[in-house]
Amino acid sequence: MTNAQSTPSQIKILAVDDELDFLNTLSRRLESRDFEVTTASNGEQAIKEAKIGGFDVAILDLKMPGMNGQELLQILKENHKFLEVIMLTGYASVDSAVECTKLGAFGYLEKPYDLEKLLGVLRDAYETRLKKKFPHDQKRMKELDILASGDPMAALSAMMRLDDLEK
Amino acid sequence: MNYQWDVLCEEGLQFFGKMSASMSHEIKNVLAVINENAGLLQDFVYMHEKGMPIDTEQLKGVSQMIIKQVRRADSIMKNMNKFAHSTDQLTKAENLNDILDIVTKLAARFASMREVSLEKIPTDEPVNIKTNPFLLENLIWLCLDFAMDSVGHGKTVRVLAQKIDNSAQITFSQLDSMPEPTEVFPDKRSEALLSALQAEIKVDSQAGTINISLPI
């Protein structure tokens, strides 16, 4: 419960792990620290939640039945470019850490970990997301202003640029 | 040292390593759950110090979870210990059901990762054999590994040990989508183990079964 004051309120987290006893307890502890947590017990469910979502950070277990954490990481990063992802694993290895980093993971932690460490990585991931997303949001606002300006040609160009931004 | 011995040594080490890594991974998962629950207890203490009353039902829930995980770890460690001791003697009198039991438990995590279920069919009668327990465990694992890959996710692989005439038999069944016997299975590792155990194998892709026949 320490550092609760420095935790940004209502950061939206998607936590994915097939170990439900772990997932539920982690979720409970994060929620008591003002994070908004959605859980999924497998990759398919996580992809569905992410589509609905607007999540800031995802926490993924590396080894899961069916779609593993690395595959899920790849899919999430392809479809949600500002989502930061933290990988959790029972056994960390240099190879898998390098592979996950290449695929765009923000952090890589070995279980069992100190929650303070996870909270630190979560905060850093959230800040990184904001830094990446802010210029994008500013561009988007600018294009929306043009769209509302009433100039049909400018609005058409703005719509095309907005489409590109959403990709 | 001959070729077959080299294959047995290499395969045996790989098998032992694979099983040990899997069990230690499971233990780490258990530790992670215990760690989170210990952290949750700390959270309760912190909240109590801030003036919130302690909810005894929540405390009960956490303690039950820790007990559950300790039992789970104990069961994993017992299997790990039995498995490690299977290398103690080159030949030992064993109930084949016990050997099957260990290997199906060891393989459970691999099955879960492939979304396959393993079902060991219980039998009333013991199937007593004299065998090299470690080599037989290795052979059963190779059959299970092939069977799990063959059936695909969502399916169940059934395993049965029984005494038929003067031999002990292990049957892997419900392998409906098993490919025709190819060079893939039995491979050189399985062949080396079959030879060392003086066992015979019959892969029947039509019936969806693999039968191993062992001398008693």
Side-chain angles (χ1 to χ4, degrees):
Chain A
M1 289 303 242
T2 51
N3 290 335
Q5 284 174 332
S6 57
T7 304
S9 185
Q10 295 302 296
I11 295 178
K12 290 180 86 177
I13 293 173
L14 175 62
V16 191
D17 201 308
D18 62 308
E19 185 77 50
L20 293 182
D21 291 336
F22 172 81
L23 186 64
N24 293 335
T25 315
L26 171 66
S27 160
R28 201 168 155 186
R29 296 189 76 200
L30 290 176
E31 278 169 353
S32 72
R33 286 164 174 81
D34 271 346
F35 291 91
E36 190 182 322
V37 186
T38 300
T39 58
S41 60
N42 59 56
E44 287 78 11
Q45 200 187 339
I47 290 167
K48 277 184 196 162
E49 291 291 351
K51 273 183 190 162
I52 305 166
F55 294 102
D56 299 303
V57 185
I59 301 171
L60 313 183
D61 183 31
L62 195 59
K63 288 210 169 178
M64 292 187 286
M67 186 188 297
N68 67 37
Q70 255 181 28
E71 290 166 325
L72 180 59
L73 163 68
Q74 197 166 4
I75 292 170
L76 289 179
K77 290 300 283 184
E78 275 169 12
N79 294 293
H80 309 277
K81 61 180 172 183
F82 297 116
L83 177 71
E84 294 299 340
V85 180
I86 298 166
M87 304 301 293
L88 298 181
T89 178
Y91 268 101
S93 74
V94 175
D95 286 350
S96 77
V98 167
E99 195 56 40
C100 288
T101 308
K102 275 185 193 165
L103 292 171
F106 179 84
Y108 183 92
L109 289 180
E110 184 171 341
K111 291 182 192 171
Y113 50 76
D114 182 350
L115 189 72
E116 289 306 318
K117 199 172 174 181
L118 175 63
L119 292 175
V121 181
L122 268 173
R123 278 191 293 271
D124 291 347
Y126 181 66
E127 278 168 22
T128 303
R129 171 181 159 85
L130 289 185
K131 276 180 200 158
K132 283 184 195 167
K133 200 168 179 287
F134 183 66
H136 173 271
D137 287 347
Q138 277 196 321
K139 275 186 199 165
R140 199 167 172 274
M141 287 302 291
K142 198 177 149 192
E143 300 303 343
L144 285 171
D145 281 345
I146 297 169
L147 204 62
S149 68
D151 177 346
M153 287 310 289
L156 189 64
S157 307
M159 273 174 75
M160 287 166 72
R161 286 194 295 272
L162 269 172
D163 272 353
D164 287 342
L165 280 172
E166 298 306 327
K167 279 175 193 166
Chain B
M1 297 292 160
N2 59 28
Y3 172 73
Q4 186 184 325
W5 176 253
D6 288 347
V7 172
L8 285 178
C9 288
E10 191 184 326
E11 170 55 30
L13 264 178
Q14 277 182 7
F15 170 56
F16 200 83
K18 203 175 179 87
M19 295 303 131
S20 304
S22 169
M23 283 181 283
S24 62
H25 200 283
E26 259 204 278
I27 292 285
K28 290 274 276 184
N29 277 337
V30 173
L31 289 175
V33 181
I34 293 174
N35 186 53
E36 281 308 309
N37 280 277
L40 193 56
L41 287 177
Q42 281 179 339
D43 292 353
F44 291 160
V45 170
Y46 177 82
M47 288 190 285
H48 182 62
E49 284 171 355
K50 294 283 169 191
M52 281 181 73
I54 283 193
D55 181 342
T56 53
E57 283 307 308
Q58 283 191 331
L59 282 183
K60 267 188 211 167
V62 174
S63 72
Q64 278 163 1
M65 177 61 74
I66 293 172
I67 290 168
K68 177 184 162 188
Q69 296 303 324
V70 169
R71 284 185 183 145
R72 182 178 160 199
D74 184 50
S75 164
I76 298 165
M77 293 309 288
K78 275 180 184 158
N79 286 332
M80 196 167 179
N81 186 268
K82 274 186 202 168
F83 176 59
H85 278 298
S86 63
T87 59
D88 288 351
Q89 287 171 265
L90 285 179
T91 310
K92 201 179 168 194
E94 289 269 8
N95 178 355
L96 185 54
N97 277 305
D98 294 340
I99 294 180
L100 262 189
D101 208 42
I102 292 177
V103 188
T104 46
K105 280 176 181 163
L106 293 177
R109 189 165 176 274
F110 296 94
S112 159
M113 286 293 143
R114 294 177 216 189
E115 299 176 291
V116 171
S117 302
L118 297 179
E119 186 189 346
K120 184 181 163 286
I121 301 168
T123 50
D124 295 332
E125 293 293 310
V127 182
N128 297 317
I129 55 166
K130 266 192 176 178
T131 190
N132 180 316
F134 181 71
L135 293 186
L136 182 53
E137 284 164 0
N138 195 348
L139 177 63
I140 295 167
W141 159 250
L142 289 178
C143 293
L144 276 177
D145 191 32
F146 173 74
M148 289 189 291
D149 270 349
S150 300
V151 293
H153 57 88
K155 299 284 176 60
T156 300
V157 175
R158 281 188 161 177
V159 195
L160 169 71
Q162 56 193 331
K163 191 183 166 200
I164 296 178
D165 300 327
N166 286 323
S167 71
Q169 288 212 2
I170 305 169
T171 307
F172 304 85
S173 60
Q174 300 204 139
L175 317 177
D176 301 335
S177 39
M178 185 166 58
E180 290 293 321
T182 62
E183 286 175 4
V184 179
F185 192 82
D187 58 6
K188 64 170 185 181
R189 300 168 305 164
S190 320
E191 295 285 7
L193 287 163
L194 287 162
S195 168
L197 291 162
Q198 295 176 296
E200 285 173 11
I201 194 165
K202 192 178 165 197
V203 182
D204 187 339
S205 53
Q206 294 263 303
T209 57
I210 298 172
N211 269 289
I212 299 173
S213 182
L214 297 147
I216 293 176

